[in-house]
Amino acid sequence: MFLMFYRRLSVVVSVILLCLALSMVVEWPTEAWPIAALGSPLAARLFQAWLAAVLLTGMACSGTVSILRLHPLAQKGQLSHTFVFWILPALATLLAAVLLPRASSPIHALGGLAGTGIALPLIIAGEYRTIDPHAKGHQIARFGLNFAAYAIALVLFTAIRQSRAHELLLALATLGGSGLLALDLLYAARQNLKQTGLHALIVGLVMGEIVLALSHVRMSNLTAAILLLLIFYLGTGLARQGLLGSLGRRVLIEFAAVALIGLVLLLRYGP
């Protein structure tokens, strides 16, 4: 079983990395259409590179599913809500497909490709390990996935701040990305999926609104991204405690203290 797991994992990651490497050297044409949204003109540009990114994301999802099906619980038909296990591999692949072709130098692009080659198999393996909450190594795998989720969130927020797209599109991208990441983080609480999805949607809506607000504030992109990450961490933490029914005064004080310390450190030492 483990031999089949590592074989399939190596095939999935190798194919994705090969496609990512090809996307870095291929120049894609661009087409644009004028669109009006909420009375504001938008220039919607369809990069064929985005289509390639979507295909790569689908490849990551299907590859992850093929690996998850090797798990004993999946073979017994006891694995449900498999789409939640796609989120981190899909977002990691999507960000790599979008950002690597835009790297400032070949060295940065190769470094990003190497980082993806290290992170992606670890994420997929971590998803496999967390299928059974009673299995050995589950907590370590979940901790690693949580770290990966917040790292992906930081990359996402940085990319959004650096983008020159319309603020409405940036808010929608933030809503979608942070909402999915919140769903992955909150699903680990093993509560009702509808309630979990609702809490994740609320986190995504809050993050989208904050991105809209910060678009009118002058600050460095990295500072804004770290601030967004801090807010996202607080939002998902409070949502998790709410799902577990342990959102009391002590918890609120702890999160308020974390927010205050983080904000002070960001203002004092932030870039």
Side-chain angles (χ1 to χ4, degrees):
M1 180 67 69
F2 285 104
L3 182 59
M4 178 64 70
F5 167 81
Y6 287 113
R7 283 180 177 176
R8 192 167 296 183
L9 179 63
S10 63
V11 170
V12 170
V13 174
S14 298
V15 172
I16 292 176
L17 290 178
L18 177 61
C19 294
L20 285 174
L22 291 175
S23 70
M24 292 162 54
V25 297
V26 175
E27 294 185 3
W28 303 91
T30 304
E31 298 182 13
W33 296 272
I35 301 175
L38 301 177
S40 178
L42 304 179
R45 296 181 178 274
L46 176 61
F47 293 86
Q48 290 190 15
W50 278 94
L51 299 180
V54 171
L55 291 176
L56 276 171
T57 303
M59 189 182 301
C61 293
S62 60
T64 301
V65 170
S66 69
I67 294 171
L68 296 179
R69 287 176 178 170
L70 296 175
H71 197 279
L73 291 182
Q75 295 180 353
K76 294 178 182 178
Q78 299 177 8
L79 177 60
S80 59
H81 309 140
T82 55
F83 67 92
V84 179
F85 296 90
W86 308 350
I87 294 175
L88 293 186
L91 288 180
T93 303
L94 178 61
L95 286 173
V98 172
L99 297 179
L100 289 182
R102 302 181 182 182
S104 58
S105 69
I107 295 178
H108 291 158
L110 290 176
L113 185 64
T116 304
I118 295 173
L120 188 58
L122 292 176
I123 291 173
I124 297 177
E127 297 286 4
Y128 182 90
R129 288 284 186 180
T130 55
I131 291 177
D132 185 359
H134 305 292
K136 183 179 179 180
H138 173 270
Q139 292 185 348
I140 296 177
R142 187 62 252 177
F143 177 82
L145 290 178
N146 289 351
F147 178 83
Y150 289 116
I152 291 173
L154 180 60
V155 174
L156 173 66
F157 297 147
T158 304
I160 287 174
R161 283 289 301 185
Q162 292 177 343
S163 175
R164 297 181 178 178
H166 192 277
E167 60 186 23
L168 178 60
L169 297 178
L170 297 181
L172 290 174
T174 304
L175 188 159
S178 58
L180 288 173
L181 289 169
L183 179 59
D184 177 86
L185 291 165
L186 298 178
Y187 184 76
R190 304 287 176 174
Q191 301 298 311
N192 180 272
L193 182 61
K194 290 184 179 180
Q195 291 295 323
T196 302
L198 178 60
H199 282 69
L201 177 60
I202 292 173
V203 172
L205 288 171
V206 170
M207 296 306 301
E209 291 287 344
I210 293 174
V211 165
L212 278 177
L214 288 181
S215 64
H216 303 287
V217 178
R218 299 187 63 179
M219 64 175 64
S220 70
N221 293 330
L222 184 56
T223 300
I226 295 174
L227 177 60
L228 288 169
L229 179 64
L230 176 61
I231 297 172
F232 178 71
Y233 171 78
L234 294 173
T236 53
L238 290 172
R240 177 182 173 84
Q241 295 300 320
L243 283 171
L244 295 174
S246 57
L247 189 59
R249 180 182 299 179
R250 183 180 61 83
V251 173
L252 291 176
I253 293 175
E254 289 178 358
F255 276 99
V258 170
L260 181 60
I261 294 172
L263 187 59
V264 169
L265 291 176
L266 182 61
L267 295 175
R268 178 64 178 84
Y269 301 104

